[in-house]
Amino acid sequence: MAEIGVGIIGASLNSWAATGHVPALEALPDYELRAISTTRHESAEAAAKKFGVPGAYDNHHDLISRSDVDLVVVAVKVRHHHALVSAALEAGKAVYSEWPLGADREEAVGLAARARAAGVRTSIGLQGRFAPSVRHAADLIADGYVGKVLSTTLVGSGVAWGAETDRSHAYIFDDASGAATLEVPVMHALDALTSVVGEFDEVSAHLVRGRTQVRLMDEGITIPVTAPDQVSVTGTLRNGAAASVFYRGAHSRGDNLRWEINGTEGDLVLTAAGINGNLQVIDLVLEGGRGSDAGIAPIDIPDRYFDGVPRHLTGPAHNVAQVYAALATDLREGRATVPGFDHAVVQHRLLDTIKRASKTRASQSFLG
């Protein structure tokens, strides 16, 4: 492919796709955004006009059938993923699906099987592992910077799951949505964490519903909250290290993202400023200290971790652009460095293991 043609399903003006995917694609010469579809023709036309995209549709089949669309991006609510991803796979198109892949593990397993049968390249939107600071931390650990990893602790804030919201975001407070605190900030953080220090061997969890109602500011009413907004996941990793992850809904007046990795020879710390603790969409600062160091100090991120992604592209689009940059290389060279649907199935299994551990109040083995 001289240029990879992209079609995004769900790229209305105020969507995550407009914030994360469109700027990422615009920053990379390997891609051209050629089509957008939404549920309404008016919103598709408005987005296409703003982003300079030739194709605007209110029917995803029209986007998928375009011969100049090589990669279909599915960036809509989780309950629609199965139908839309299935349609793209049936057309033989490469697919980039946002996480979670399916509404449950069964849907994810089915989609992964369809992708293998179709022989097409897939990718899952777990971009936190592609953050330059996260990748550099992984390499430092592999090179012995901290010695043997003893433990890792991550505390973060999901921001969105606070006391107030609006009708368009009310669904994320529903436990059946697949888009609550556990599924979004926690699973994104866990994927980044395991990419650095290794997979879980055993998991314990407490899923707590701290807020029982949320106020809809635009309607002046309150609705019940059915999804946990205080999530604690602890356990042991396959390398023997201890791991602890805690996410709160809303935010703290203190730190909203702090991730420590502690070893026999040194320590690494990743932090972020501000109220947003969603690891996958924020700019992280990497610090470390080892040996005789009395404390930690900033660690510069070498240029090689930016993979052609401009350093000035900050915020939510940066890590997404890192995924796209790696995916372009994968597509051209037949490699598979970007996790696809099979990896998504593993993460769905971890998600189910966490839920089971909380329900049974007993630690659970995780086989991956």
Side-chain angles (χ1 to χ4, degrees), residues 305-354:
Y305 290 99
F306 290 83
D307 295 336
V309 177
R311 281 182 179 255
H312 64 75
L313 182 67
T314 58
H318 184 90
N319 293 340
V320 177
Q322 292 280 352
V323 178
Y324 277 118
L327 181 59
T329 302
D330 283 356
L331 290 171
R332 291 197 170 104
E333 299 181 5
R335 301 195 300 169
T337 63
V338 176
F341 288 1
D342 287 333
H343 177 73
V345 170
V346 174
Q347 295 309 100
H348 271 280
R349 289 175 182 152
L350 178 57
L351 177 61
D352 283 358
T353 302
I354 292 168

Side-chain angles (χ1 to χ4, degrees), residues 41-118:
H41 184 71
E42 294 79 9
S43 63
E45 285 281 3
K49 181 178 180 180
K50 179 176 180 179
F51 303 135
V53 179
Y57 306 101
D58 57 8
N59 185 325
H60 64 274
H61 291 291
D62 293 332
L63 178 149
I64 292 170
S65 66
R66 284 183 63 121
S67 61
D68 62 347
V69 168
D70 309 300
L71 174 66
V72 175
V73 177
V74 176
V76 297
K77 291 179 180 178
V78 180
R79 68 175 184 267
H80 301 303
H81 283 194
H82 188 269
L84 298 176
V85 171
S86 294
L89 293 174
E90 289 170 7
K93 298 296 177 78
V95 184
Y96 181 143
S97 173
E98 280 295 340
W99 167 264
L101 176 56
D104 52 36
R105 186 178 65 179
E106 288 71 27
E107 282 194 359
V109 169
L111 290 172
R114 289 190 182 194
R116 287 193 300 272

Side-chain angles (χ1 to χ4, degrees), residues 202-225:
E202 190 175 64
V203 176
S204 296
H206 292 280
L207 308 181
V208 178
R209 187 163 53 99
R211 290 186 173 86
T212 58
Q213 61 183 24
V214 60
R215 178 175 174 79
L216 303 187
M217 296 179 293
D218 50 344
E219 297 184 9
I221 63 172
T222 59
I223 61 172
V225 173

